Each structure stands twice: as structure tokens, then as C-alpha cells.
Amino acid sequence: MARPSGRTGRIAALGELCRAGAILHIGEAARQIGASEITIRRDLSGGEGGLVCLGGYVMRAAEGAEGYSLTKAEASEADAKEALAGRAAALIEPGDTIFLDCGTTTPHLAAKVPPNARVTVVTQALNIAERVARLPGVTLILLAGIYHSETASFSSDEAVAMLGRINITKGFFSAAGVHETEGVTCFHFHEVPVKRAAIARSRQRYLVCDGSKWGRLRPATYARLDEFTDWIGAPPGRPEARPVS
């Protein structure tokens, strides 16, 4: 790519690199347009050209956290999410203590938790808690803290500490993006500590996300692919499971 001239030219060049929803590491963007990372951050500080720089990545604002809508995401790929939830629910056994991550696929799973099976559900998500609270014979542990309406979830140091005292048999985790090299990602950095703590405390870890998330990169990485016992929803041609390292 020819080196663009001036701020307007740089923003236009970045827009071209981010066409069709592509997300680019700021270092790679800087290399391609021949500008420094500091210059790119300054150019995009006001959201010019519909672009933002989040977590070291350049993307269109609609791809970033500001553009994320839980309501819109809930309606996307609804049939696929319901099918994945059925596959995940088949893994739940009587006596399990399970972690259900925030997201738009895991609420479908919450509704399928078997009642009266001595199952305990641990979650930081309000929309999941509301579903589980209605299920007879299911114990709910809600990890509280600061409420984030954009994800309908809570985060706090106390939630992370509480997870450290819970023995989770199976953890079910969502993703906004799954990248071959950068790993499993989400939109919001406040999600990461709880997700990491739940991964650490789960004997078995399942990534549950539909095929539209694969190949996408979101601002915050929270796990490697090989940290999961199984990938539920991997697209055709990708292995459904990897050994946990």
C-alpha cells in the first residue's frame, strides 16, 4: 500500500484495511500505512471515519464495544444457538456444579438445565440468573459486583475471589470472536477476570459459540483455544476437540 498523505489520507487507508468488518492489530496497521501507532491512536481518538482503536486493534465502530447490542446479538443465529445449547445441555449430569458465562448462547443453555438433578449453576449474568431461578431443584450462585448493561453481567474483585472457592465440574463459555492465533475473544475487558477465574476453577471447559464467531477477532482475548476440553460449534473442517495443555 502506498503511504497515504495527511490525517485524512491515513484514516481513509485505515478504513480500506478494515473493510468488510476486518479487525487489524495496530502494529500491523501502522506498518501497512507507514505511520506510527501513536499517530494512528491520535487520528482515531474522535472516531473519525467510523473507526476506533480498542485494546490495540483498529476496527469499525460497529465492530467495537460501543457498537455491541445485546438485544441485537440475541436475535442473531438464534436457531444455531438453540441447537448448540441442546448439545451442551446433554453434557450436564446430576450433581454437577456448572459455570454459565454471559452471552447470548448460554441463556439458551440455562433454560435446558435439568430440574431436580442437584445441579448448581454459577454465573455472572443477570439474564441467565433470571432463567435459572425459575427452575425447580436448581441452586443458583450469582457472582455480583458492578452491573454492565451492555452484557447484562456483573464484574468485581469479590466475584473473582468467590470463584476461587467454588469447585466447578463443567464450565460453559461464550465468545464474540474465535481467532486461530489470538485465541478466544470478547468485546469488553471487564469480562476477562471472571472468565479467567472460571476457566481456572473448571475441571472441564467447553467453548460454546456458533460458526459466525470463528475467524473474528474482538478487542479482549481471554483464553487460548487449547485451554478448552471441547469446542461446541466449531465450523466444518475444524476439529471439535483439542487436548487441554
Side-chain angles (χ1 to χ4, degrees), residues 13 27 64 74 76 92-93 133 142 150 164 194 207 242:
E74 284 175 337
S76 174
I92 301 173
E93 300 173 299
L142 178 59
E150 65 272 20
V194 170
L207 176 61
R242 285 281 182 89

Side-chain angles (χ1 to χ4, degrees), residues 16-28:
E16 181 62 20
L17 291 173
C18 293
R19 66 185 180 277
I23 296 176
L24 197 66
H25 190 277
I26 190 170
E28 177 62 17

